[in-house]
Amino acid sequence: MTNKITSVFISSISFLLGIIFITAGIEKLTGLPDIIGPHYLIEELEKHGLELYGKFIAYSQIIIGFLLINNRFRLLGAILLFPLLLNILFIVTSLDWNGTPYIVAFLLFLNCILILKDFHKIKFVFSNNDLNELKRIKIRRTKVKLDIYFCCLLIIILIGGSLGWTQYGKILTKTGMLSILLSILILNIYRAIKNKKQS
């Protein structure tokens, strides 16, 4: 029972961070409202010849958020999110944004929980042991069709983001986001029913 509660807690943190950063990236590209970050970042950076950098941040947020909402790639998303959150923390602290550093520090704390939960998957980086055992492990994917489906949704969101503040850009990103949320809801209901039948 404790493992199940822990699993739900970790999945909830991962999903929350994922949605926050997907929507933050979408907001910067399309102007659709979200709960974090200035939507004018790209326009502000454009004044200094850094428009491409602003878009890089937005696309990075979308991709990292997407990795976080998918339990299979959660650790990769958490590792990529760590330096992004550190950068945001230093920027908002330097700009003296009231309250924002505390929110970002809390998000960083949640991200650290995700990394620590899956630390066993990366502990070989800190080990002096012989890595031949790891080299023998083959990559095995059991749900390739589901991976392809989610990658297609990510591509739809990225295309929508590249169309920017246009009507088509907003429609594509909204459609992609709603499809992702609906798909995750259906998958979780399916897993819950399947687990109930097995027990």
Side-chain angles (χ1 to χ4, degrees), residues 165-198:
W165 293 57
T166 65
Q167 183 183 356
Y168 298 113
K170 291 179 180 182
I171 289 170
L172 278 174
T173 50
K174 277 184 185 176
T175 304
M177 271 302 295
L178 289 173
S179 301
I180 285 174
L181 293 173
L182 190 60
S183 301
I184 289 170
L185 179 66
I186 291 167
L187 280 172
N188 285 328
I189 291 170
Y190 172 75
R191 280 187 199 133
I193 292 169
K194 193 176 176 182
N195 289 341
K196 202 167 192 179
K197 283 182 181 177
Q198 287 175 350

Side-chain angles (χ1 to χ4, degrees), residues 11-185:
S11 294
S12 299
I13 290 174
S14 185
F15 183 76
L16 174 70
L17 287 173
I19 292 301
I20 285 172
F21 282 93
I22 288 174
T23 55
I26 288 172
E27 181 199 37
K28 288 171 184 64
L29 293 170
T30 64
L32 291 172
D34 83 325
I35 58 172
I36 188 173
H39 66 277
Y40 54 82
L41 178 72
I42 295 173
E43 296 160 6
E44 196 62 38
L45 289 172
E46 191 177 5
K47 295 174 187 174
H48 308 285
L50 295 169
E51 179 187 5
L52 190 59
Y53 178 60
K55 287 183 178 177
F56 170 76
I57 291 170
Y59 284 117
S60 296
Q61 287 179 326
I62 292 170
I63 292 168
I64 290 169
F66 180 78
L67 292 170
L68 284 165
I69 63 169
N70 190 328
N71 275 341
R72 213 169 303 171
F73 303 114
R74 175 177 69 206
L75 178 60
L76 180 59
I79 290 169
L80 292 171
L81 183 59
F82 189 78
L84 182 68
L85 280 170
L86 275 179
N87 275 290
I88 293 169
L89 182 62
F90 282 110
I91 288 168
V92 295
T93 304
S94 301
L95 294 174
D96 200 25
W97 288 6
N98 291 335
T100 309
Y102 299 110
I103 295 167
V104 176
F106 179 68
L107 296 178
L108 191 59
F109 170 72
L110 293 179
N111 192 57
C112 287
I113 290 173
L114 293 182
I115 292 171
L116 290 174
K117 171 67 174 99
D118 288 332
F119 180 72
H120 63 281
K121 293 180 182 178
I122 56 168
K123 62 186 174 188
F124 64 88
V125 173
F126 303 97
S127 172
N128 290 327
N129 296 345
D130 183 22
L131 298 180
N132 285 328
E133 286 180 41
L134 284 172
K135 290 176 184 174
R136 285 194 289 269
I137 297 173
K138 296 195 185 314
I139 296 174
R140 191 172 55 98
R141 308 296 303 142
T142 53
K143 296 176 182 169
V144 177
K145 288 180 183 174
L146 196 59
D147 290 343
I148 292 168
Y149 171 72
F150 275 107
C151 284
C152 289
L153 291 178
L154 175 62
I155 289 166
I156 288 170
I157 290 172
L158 293 175
I159 290 170
S162 68
L163 294 174
W165 293 57
T166 65
Q167 183 183 356
Y168 298 113
K170 291 179 180 182
I171 289 170
L172 278 174
T173 50
K174 277 184 185 176
T175 304
M177 271 302 295
L178 289 173
S179 301
I180 285 174
L181 293 173
L182 190 60
S183 301
I184 289 170
L185 179 66

